[in-house]
Amino acid sequence: MLSKPDLRLTDKDQAMLAGEFGPAPQLAMRILVQMAQIYGAQELLDISAAHIDSTIYIGEAGLEYAERLAALGAKVAVPTTLNVSGLDEEHWREWAVPSDWAHKAHRQMMAYASMGAIPTWTCAPYQTPMKPAFGQQIAWGESNAIVYANSVLGARTERYPDLLDICCAITGRAPATGLHLEENRGGDILMELVDVPASLQELDVFYPVLGTLMGKLAGERIPVIANLGVVPTDDQLKALGAAAASSGAVAMFHIAGVTPEAPTLAAAFHHKKPSQRIPATLEMLTEVYRGLTTSRDDHLDFVAVGCPHFSLDEIRKLAELMAGRRRHPDDRFIVTTNRRNRDLAREAGYLDTLLAFGCQLTLDTCILATPMLDRSLRSMMTNSGKFAYYAPGMLDLRVTYGSLEECVDSAVAGRVVKGGDVWPV
Ligand code: F3S
């Protein structure tokens, strides 16, 4: 029988475990202690923020868990944001979402909101006013958010699974392990770009491809990218991390000279040697680029963009591409974002352009988190590496991967139109 490692608990941890703070912190601490022992942590540490991924309704167990905590009077102890939910409360009736399912998804949303969490309903909490700071200890769920927090912001979080994330939020504590600790944040493998033109590196379409390749090569390890000749935008880094966390289990990456813990290549590796050096050639990237498309013809039922949730700047770019145009009547165009960004887009004047084009906004959820697509929608085009990676297996869709420009051009044409820009194939 395996012996459990010793876990040192503070007096306050012990008091929570004994029920002195009430039944909800007691339950949360009991789960947290069990999980900390499984992780091999020797102590817990204070966190100052949390992001909850258990908000998506995926069945009775998750709903029962949330409502049980809520009924016990659970309240979050630190500022806590909420991931996408299972329901677009404004638009779900326009889609194939069953009403019973919608009712339960709504109950799960309300349970988490009742715990005092901020109803952000987004998988991009790092693009809200709740963005964590460098060095901040946090407990975040949602793979793309985890990788962005660690890599781009230099905040510190492990990969928190559903159900454990809320235990951290209620107790304000997390296992002192993994990426919370400085010694575990150095790079493992070196991924060197070889012969990748700078003109390609500047394009948005490049980053989901690079991220997909990075995830395949790195698995759970921390990759360090070298020879990138440009400084990616926040949205490009978002797309890079989301794809890497999909095709692999990347929770952190470094880009030498770009990300905060990698001012130099040596610093990224904590002045140690990489365990492996892997070239990332244009040929390898092109193979990944092609592999993200599973559709074999130019048939198109709908376009979906906004994975991770579209930022205001991405909505602005989309509005520029859509101005004065209209989608083909046989196709649909879905933009997934959250209600805050929708409101900001309305104030900025972008929303009217999107609606005039024939866009449908899906708020606070996405096509993978809510059963909105009926069987008539089989051929999708997307600019998202994460949607392209998961949609064939999870939703049985045929996917074409392309740039945002190509997505808009295709929606206008009513069929897949490629080659408007960019990839040098
Ligand atoms: Fe967000 Fe859904 Fe993509 S949760 S990261 S839009 S799969």
Side-chain angles (χ1 to χ4, degrees), residues 95 300-306 310 318-319 321-322 326-336 354-355 357-362 372 377 381-383 403-412:
W95 300 91
L300 183 66
D301 294 321
F302 71 105
V303 173
V305 300
F310 251 23
L318 185 60
L321 291 167
M322 289 181 164
R326 174 91 195 155
R327 68 166 166 80
H328 191 280
D330 293 343
D331 290 335
R332 301 177 89 162
F333 200 112
I334 301 167
V335 180
T336 49
L354 265 55
L355 297 178
F357 180 86
C359 262
Q360 288 174 283
L361 267 63
T362 290
M372 59 187 281
L377 300 171
M381 187 164 185
T382 184
N383 70 338
S403 68
L404 189 63
E405 292 87 337
E406 289 170 327
C407 285
V408 175
D409 289 348
S410 299
V412 171

Side-chain angles (χ1 to χ4, degrees), residues 226-298:
N227 300 341
L228 196 69
V230 304
V231 176
T233 66
D234 288 351
D235 287 321
Q236 288 170 341
L237 292 168
K238 170 171 84 169
L240 174 75
S246 303
S247 63
V250 173
M252 181 171 186
F253 64 84
H254 298 286
I255 302 178
V258 173
T259 51
E261 290 167 71
T264 63
L265 205 52
F269 283 104
H270 288 189
H271 303 280
K272 295 177 189 151
K273 281 200 168 144
S275 64
Q276 198 181 359
R277 302 175 80 109
I278 309 176
T281 64
L282 182 59
E283 196 181 347
M284 293 162 77
L285 288 158
T286 300
E287 193 181 327
V288 170
Y289 168 78
R290 290 190 178 130
L292 288 173
T293 292
T294 57
S295 182
R296 294 291 164 251
D297 56 35
D298 67 355

Side-chain angles (χ1 to χ4, degrees), residues 49-56 66 76 78-86 89 105-126 128 130 139-142 144-145 165-166 169-170 309 337-340 364-365:
H51 181 67
I52 309 303
D53 191 29
S54 334
T55 42
I56 305 170
V76 294
V78 294
T80 298
T81 45
L82 294 175
N83 201 36
V84 295
S85 71
E89 291 182 301
H106 178 74
R107 276 171 48 195
Q108 191 153 324
M109 293 171 75
M110 292 304 100
Y112 282 107
S114 78
M115 297 179 208
I118 303 159
T120 44
W121 309 126
T122 185
C123 50
Y126 44 82
T128 74
M130 301 298 293
W140 274 23
E142 168 52 47
N144 100 84
D165 45 17
I166 189 63
I170 291 168
H309 272 179
T337 189
N338 51 74
R339 63 186 84 178
R340 175 177 180 273
D364 307 338
T365 185

Side-chain angles (χ1 to χ4, degrees), residues 90-160:
E90 293 186 27
H91 304 110
W92 67 270
R93 289 179 187 80
E94 298 168 14
W95 300 91
V97 183
S99 56
D100 177 57
W101 200 97
H103 177 65
K104 288 176 176 169
H106 178 74
R107 276 171 48 195
Q108 191 153 324
M109 293 171 75
M110 292 304 100
Y112 282 107
S114 78
M115 297 179 208
I118 303 159
T120 44
W121 309 126
T122 185
C123 50
Y126 44 82
Q127 291 184 320
T128 74
M130 301 298 293
K131 175 170 98 169
F134 181 82
Q136 192 175 343
Q137 294 285 7
I138 60 176
W140 274 23
E142 168 52 47
S143 64
N144 100 84
I146 292 164
V147 69
Y148 193 99
N150 280 316
S151 315
V152 182
L153 303 178
R156 298 183 172 205
T157 179
E158 249 307 308
R159 306 165 178 88
Y160 283 95

Side-chain angles (χ1 to χ4, degrees), residues 390-406:
Y390 283 123
M394 288 180 67
L395 300 176
D396 192 23
L397 297 178
R398 295 181 294 274
V399 172
T400 301
Y401 172 73
S403 68
L404 189 63
E405 292 87 337
E406 289 170 327

